[in-house]
Structure formats: C-alpha cells, structure tokens
Amino acid sequence: MKLHQTADGFSIQFGPDALLRHSVEHPMLFLGIGRENIRMYRGNFDIKDNLEEKIPLRAFELREDENGWTAIFRNHDEKLSYTLTFRPDGDLLRVQGRCSDIRYNRIWLRIPARKDEFVYGGGEQFSCLNLRGKKFPIWCREQGVGRNKKTLTTALADLYGSAGGDYHTTFFPQPTFISSRHYFCHLENYDYSELNFESGDFHEIHVWNTAVELALRSAESYAGLLYGLGGLLGRQQMLPEWAYRGAWLGVQGGTEICREKLRKMLGRGAKISALWAQDWEGVRMTSFGKRLQWDWRWDETLYPGLPEQIREWNKSGVRFLGYINPYLAQGGQLFQAAAEKRYLVLNGRDEIDLVDCGEFNCGIVDFTNPEAFSWYKDVIKRNLIGIGFSGWMADFGEYLPADCRLYSGESALTLHNKWPALWAKANYEALEETGNAGKIIPFMRSGAAGSQKYSALMWAGDQNVDWSLDDGLASVITAALSAGMSGCGLHTSDIGGYTTLYRMHRTKELFLRWTEFCMFTPVMRTHEGNRPNDNWQFDSDGETMEHFAWATRIHALLFPYLRALDQINHERSLPVMRPLFLQYEDDVRAHETMYEYLLGPDLLVAPVYLEGETSRELYLPRDSWVSLWDGIPYPGGSVSVGAPIGRPPVFYRAKSGFAGLFRQIAEEGPFSGASSGG
C-alpha cells in the first residue's frame, strides 16, 4: 500500500493503480440521514428511502501508524467527523469506517473510475453482464416476472401481484464488483446497499449504515482476482461424480409415474443420473399452479414404497432428488412443532410473523436461534437424507420481513441479505454431520456473500417459459456468467423455464433450444413448470424424446472435462462457465460479448436464444478454433454459422488437451431428427 498526498487531497495505491482518491473538490465520502419504508408481498419488495440529509465531507487529516493509515474526514463546520482506516492484510486492502454521530445512518463512498472501464459481478445478475451505466440495489428478493418495466408481462405481474421485477431484481445480489482495471471491491456489510456505476468518473457504494468494511485486492489477471475473491468468500465444494453422468429428470405425480417416465427415457437411450420429484411431500393447487404442501414429510399415498424404490434406482445408477425450503405452512405438523417450541420468526406483537407464500401462510424458521437451527437440520437429516435422497432443491430464502423480530436480537433489516447464506449453512452442516458432504447435492436459488463455501450448486430460479432477454433463456446465460464473476462457478437452470403466466406456454422450440444450452453447462435438469399441462415436456412427442436423449448422451460424454473444470473451480474459483474476456483479457470485443461463453478454457458455446433463428452471428476471440460438429477450422473474428435445431454453435480450441474427447463427441454427431415416432 502506498499513500500519495497532495495539498488538497490524497490517493491510496494498492497494486499498480490508485484504488481510492479524495480531494476537497471531489470528496470520496458523504454522510446522510434516511428513513426507509419497506413493504414485502410474496417476496417482492417495494423499497423507498426518505433522505433527509446528504453531506459531503471535504476536510481531512491523515495519520500514520505501524498498521497503515487513518483518515479523519470532516464537514465544513467540523462538527461532523468520520474515520476511515486503511490496513494491508496479506493480499487485501481492508478499509473500515466509523461515524462520530449516531444520528447518521447512510454513507456514500466513491471509487475513481475510467470511462472505458468494464465492471462485472454484483452477484447473479440476469440483465447485465457489464454493470457500467446502471445502479444495482443489493437486496435479496424474488427475481420478478418479466423483469423489464417496458414489457406487458412485467406490467401485468406488477398489476396483479407487485411481482414484475426490474433489470436489477435477483435472488442472489452481492455487493462485489470486479473491474477491468484488475481489482475487486467487496463490501463486507449485509445491510441494504447500492452499487452505482452510472457516472463515468467514479463508482459509488451506498450503504444503509455508517459502520462499513471494504475489502479490495489487485491482481495481474481476472483469474488472480477470482482466486483472491474465493479466498475471501469461500470456495465451492466439488459435485459428486454421479452429477455429471447424465440428466436430472424433473418428474412429478407419484412413484409409478416416476418409474414409467424413467423407463421411457432409458428406452430412448437417454443417460439419466437422477430423478427429481419436487412433490415427494404432497401437492397443493393454487391459482398460480401446482404448488407443494410445505410440510417436508414424505407423502406415502402419492409415493408408496419410496425408500425401497430409491434403493432400487440407486442400484441402477439413478439417484433420487427432492425439494425443501426454510418455510413451514400454517396447519402442517412441522409448523405446529416449531410454533410450540417458539422456533419461528416473530413480529412486533410477539406473534408468529406469518408470510403470504401464495394463497397460504407460512412461518419462517429462525436461524438465529441455535436450537431452531439444529432442529431444522434434524428435519433434513431425518426426512430427506433418512429416506435416501441424493440431493434436493433448497429453494427460497428471500422472504425475511425487514421489520420482524429475531431470536438473536439482531436487526432483520441487516440480516435479510444474509439469510440465504444461513439457509445454505443449515443444508451444508446437515450433510457434514451425517458424513454426506460431497455425496449429496442441495442446489439453491438464493444466495449471499458467504454462500460459496456452503452451496456447491446454484440454479437460476424461476425464468419465464419464453424468449425474453430479461427473464427467458438469454437471461440464464448472463446469470451464470455474472455469478461466476462473483465467486459461484457452478450454475444450472430449469430446462425450458418455470413461470407460466399470462397466456405464456413453453413451446417445443423453446424446450429444444434450452436443452441444447444446458447440455453444455455443469448440470442438465428439467422442470415441468408451475403449470405442467401448459408446457412442452421432454416426453411430449417422439422427436423431443429422441432429441433430449441425444443431448443427455453428449452431456455425459463431457464428464472428464466437466470434472476437471469442477476441480479448478474448487481449487482456484475459476468458474466452469466463463465470459470470453476471462481467457482473452486484452480483447475488447470479448468484454462486449454477452450471450456466448466459454465452458472452461477450451469450448466456446453460442446458444440460440431467439425464437425462430436457424443461424447465429457470433464472435470468436483470436485463436485456432474448430467447429465441434463438422471439424471446420476458424481463426477467430466475427462469423456467421448455421444453427438449426440439433446443431448448436459450439467450437473447441484446436490446441486443447481435450481435443480427442471433443472429436469423440463429434462422432456422436448433431441431432438430425427422431428415429421413431410418438
């Protein structure tokens, strides 16, 4: 760390560049007073801040000690002061701030920017890969339906349920960004915050707290930055080998239906590594569609003989996966047990704080209560692991009201963003305590800083069953890449999307294209959606079954490559799905390319994400590329390729150590149509 002082300011250099800068004319620090108003409806939040005051602190005084530097900032009359300390901590620069006046509860910190700078991260972002030009509130919530205020879908979702969302709404926001100037900045606070990249001259971090902590690090490459970020936040565990051996088939309806659908797909030559049945604990029908009982107990009527059947499936190499979330439906046995023990989050009247989860109310297990935390781990151990599950969708985590009362006495406003990490920790510890870590996979949609070390796999949540850029197939590509630049390098999605509303329905074309995308991701998994009868499914006709079976075989052949990438992600936090610029840092076009990605260093995938397209205009970084399906070489640059269904644009590096594997995949060939009917 180097400090450079001038007559009217100073800068802090950490690495080759000045990461922090202050002057009387351009202060780095503002304090304010605000009064928030937060309303939640089914995990969607209306957040307003009544800002009463915002004051720049221009005057400063610098002090040096053996640990680093301290800057004391003051306003014009010197009645208000704020202290920032700058301390090297190994490869990190830690910045800590404290205010002298407890009336102030808002802070804005500015970091110098360049107009040609690119910025990535922010957690899992669905609409933006490069964050420049926009502001990103960091608040865990439902992602929203449509996620674009200019669309009819979003307008209808807002009208009928305040559920439309926007470009920034996400299950997994994280106050972290990585700059093309080769540094990252991470806000350690879980408070509501905003990352604001609207200015060309500075990045602004706004926090609803004046006690703040930042961690910054420089490195020579993006790979070095991600390695450092993984060291700070935690590294993901590896998936068990079975996860890559075929698709995870999403089915519902009971033991016999699961058996029949599995038999049908295996008969088509499909590689199936798991059956995923979210309704293992019963079905609840609402106006939204097919929901679950939320009592997390085996429904023996719907799934007779399930434990014995799971053992039979395991013998044949097929695992069984279920579903759970951290909420308990009012009226259920687990809700009653938790209520009697006072294990549920309370409201200001010392009553259970019931949350509307979509035409039924639920209580929230209070993870700040050690006894409640342990009790819910026991539910997982007994009711899921005990039956023989090899994994489950660990859903939700976003619905903690900002004004509820917690056992620990901590502010729910502060813990709201941390809640998904606590939920991930409960799942992780249940596995560790039963000796199943690395064998069983909970996959999660919500996340927070720190989820990385507890959650091995993230899934993208509830996309629309449509082609929209902000909430359809395209948005999942962006989500995977932004999550990877935030320390979560293993990502998957519902093939075909989930949310089926406002006359939407999943078409055959969308299902086939989403399948072709997911066969080149870490995990292939289907979902019927909230209204299965309105959606095209993997077994809706013979051609779809043949196409899906073909895709599962391609995915299974990728096992040694995906396994190697998983190892790298675990050791170095280099994501499996990577933006092009991660490998080609000096290529400006690589930084600007959003709907292509590298699967590891050696495969470039350009999914078809627009309806009706049978060709793709795409960009290949300067290298020696080979088209996967026909072996045609490409030197790089802008290319136009044919992309009919069954032949998604995929290229491999000619010099790859896995070139032999990729040629073997090419021998399986592109898909050319069904070999048999209905």
Side-chain angles (χ1 to χ4, degrees), residues 230-251:
L232 178 65
L233 302 180
R235 305 195 195 280
Q236 289 181 289
Q237 299 299 306
M238 293 184 67
L239 300 181
E241 289 190 8
W242 64 260
Y244 298 111
R245 296 293 190 181
W248 303 2
L249 208 59
V251 290

Side-chain angles (χ1 to χ4, degrees), residues 105-399:
N105 58 3
R106 304 287 188 265
I107 190 171
W108 294 259
L109 287 165
R110 291 181 176 177
I111 295 175
R114 295 176 184 166
K115 289 181 171 56
D116 61 349
E117 186 177 350
F118 296 92
V119 173
Y120 307 101
E124 183 185 40
Q125 296 293 335
F126 296 88
S127 297
C128 306
L129 182 56
N130 178 16
L131 308 182
R132 288 304 295 275
K134 290 185 179 293
K135 178 169 61 176
F136 296 86
I138 304 300
W139 186 259
C140 183
R141 62 180 102 191
E142 285 275 3
Q143 71 167 30
V145 178
R147 303 187 65 260
N148 186 325
K149 296 303 186 187
K150 297 180 181 179
T151 64
L152 177 60
T153 297
T154 303
L156 290 171
D158 280 335
L159 179 64
Y160 293 113
S162 302
D166 209 338
Y167 72 89
H168 56 77
T169 49
T170 173
F171 307 111
F172 186 176
Q174 185 174 293
T176 308
F177 65 89
I178 290 180
S179 166
S180 58
R181 291 167 54 201
H182 285 161
Y183 76 90
F184 74 67
C185 177
H186 172 67
L187 174 68
E188 301 273 22
N189 297 52
Y190 286 100
D191 307 276
Y192 176 90
S193 59
E194 294 174 355
L195 301 179
N196 190 335
F197 304 106
E198 294 173 326
S199 171
D201 299 321
F202 59 83
H203 311 316
E204 187 172 72
I205 302 169
H206 173 41
V207 191
W208 286 6
N209 196 337
T210 57
V212 297
E213 298 188 18
L214 297 176
L216 299 99
R217 175 171 173 164
S218 293
E220 294 183 355
S221 65
Y222 288 120
L225 292 173
L226 288 171
Y227 179 80
L229 187 61
L232 178 65
L233 302 180
R235 305 195 195 280
Q236 289 181 289
Q237 299 299 306
M238 293 184 67
L239 300 181
E241 289 190 8
W242 64 260
Y244 298 111
R245 296 293 190 181
W248 303 2
L249 208 59
V251 290
Q252 299 183 75
T255 307
E256 185 54 40
I257 289 178
C258 288
R259 276 198 295 254
E260 175 58 23
K261 287 183 180 286
L262 176 62
R263 182 197 64 77
K264 186 161 50 175
M265 289 312 301
L266 292 176
R268 298 276 179 168
K271 297 290 186 180
I272 306 298
S273 61
L275 285 170
W276 173 58
Q278 66 171 5
D279 64 346
W280 70 278
E281 44 80 45
V283 174
R284 177 196 305 268
M285 296 304 298
T286 71
S287 63
F288 180 73
K290 191 173 185 180
R291 306 291 302 279
L292 307 174
Q293 283 296 329
W294 295 39
D295 197 30
W296 321 131
R297 297 180 302 112
W298 166 33
D299 186 330
E300 299 184 39
T301 302
L302 188 60
Y303 282 89
L306 182 60
E308 295 77 18
Q309 180 62 74
I310 289 174
R311 286 194 287 272
E312 289 300 311
W313 282 325
N314 284 345
K315 290 178 184 177
S316 67
V318 177
R319 307 295 178 126
F320 186 83
L321 315 176
Y323 176 102
I324 190 173
N325 67 47
Y327 311 117
L328 304 174
Q330 189 178 26
Q333 289 188 21
L334 289 176
F335 177 94
Q336 189 61 35
E340 290 173 359
K341 297 175 182 290
R342 293 181 65 83
Y343 284 169
L344 301 175
V345 168
L346 304 177
N347 60 26
R349 299 182 299 277
D350 203 37
E351 302 165 338
I352 294 172
D353 199 341
L354 294 174
V355 174
D356 180 356
C357 291
E359 300 173 27
F360 59 97
N361 291 330
C362 291
I364 304 171
V365 180
D366 190 342
F367 291 141
T368 72
N369 181 340
E371 291 185 5
F373 191 79
S374 179
W375 175 78
Y376 211 57
K377 288 192 295 183
D378 287 341
V379 169
I380 294 172
K381 295 174 188 177
R382 180 177 62 252
N383 293 3
L384 283 77
I385 298 173
I387 291 178
F389 287 17
S390 291
W392 50 85
M393 178 180 280
D395 204 356
F396 287 88
E398 308 89 357
Y399 282 44

Side-chain angles (χ1 to χ4, degrees), residues 605-619:
V605 184
V608 175
Y609 61 90
L610 295 177
E611 185 176 15
E613 290 209 337
T614 57
S615 64
R616 264 217 66 175
E617 303 287 333
L618 56 93
Y619 178 70

Side-chain angles (χ1 to χ4, degrees), residues 323-522:
Y323 176 102
I324 190 173
N325 67 47
Y327 311 117
L328 304 174
Q330 189 178 26
Q333 289 188 21
L334 289 176
F335 177 94
Q336 189 61 35
E340 290 173 359
K341 297 175 182 290
R342 293 181 65 83
Y343 284 169
L344 301 175
V345 168
L346 304 177
N347 60 26
R349 299 182 299 277
D350 203 37
E351 302 165 338
I352 294 172
D353 199 341
L354 294 174
V355 174
D356 180 356
C357 291
E359 300 173 27
F360 59 97
N361 291 330
C362 291
I364 304 171
V365 180
D366 190 342
F367 291 141
T368 72
N369 181 340
E371 291 185 5
F373 191 79
S374 179
W375 175 78
Y376 211 57
K377 288 192 295 183
D378 287 341
V379 169
I380 294 172
K381 295 174 188 177
R382 180 177 62 252
N383 293 3
L384 283 77
I385 298 173
I387 291 178
F389 287 17
S390 291
W392 50 85
M393 178 180 280
D395 204 356
F396 287 88
E398 308 89 357
Y399 282 44
L400 186 72
D403 59 352
C404 68
R405 285 181 50 211
L406 301 173
Y407 175 88
S408 66
E410 296 169 273
S411 166
L413 182 62
T414 295
L415 279 192
H416 172 88
N417 278 337
K418 189 177 182 179
W419 211 254
L422 298 178
W423 171 221
K425 184 179 180 183
N427 286 269
Y428 178 81
E429 290 188 1
L431 300 184
E432 274 207 321
E433 292 165 9
T434 56
N436 284 295
K439 303 174 185 177
I440 290 176
I441 310 172
F443 50 105
M444 312 192 72
R445 79 170 188 180
S446 65
S451 288
Q452 289 83 351
K453 58 179 171 286
Y454 300 126
S455 182
L457 179 65
M458 303 300 299
W459 110 91
D462 301 342
Q463 282 70 51
N464 287 349
V465 291
D466 69 11
W467 301 89
S468 61
L469 295 182
D470 294 283
D471 201 15
L473 169 56
S475 72
V476 178
I477 304 170
T478 312
L481 301 184
S482 61
M485 294 301 289
S486 301
C488 285
L490 288 166
H491 197 270
T492 184
S493 65
D494 298 336
I495 292 179
Y498 169 80
T499 301
T500 314
L501 293 171
Y502 315 123
R503 299 185 179 180
M504 274 187 261
H505 66 279
R506 183 195 296 155
T507 65
K508 179 178 180 178
E509 182 188 0
L510 180 65
F511 183 86
L512 298 179
R513 288 304 195 185
W514 212 309
T515 296
E516 291 176 357
F517 160 60
C518 282
M519 71 177 175
F520 290 101
T521 66

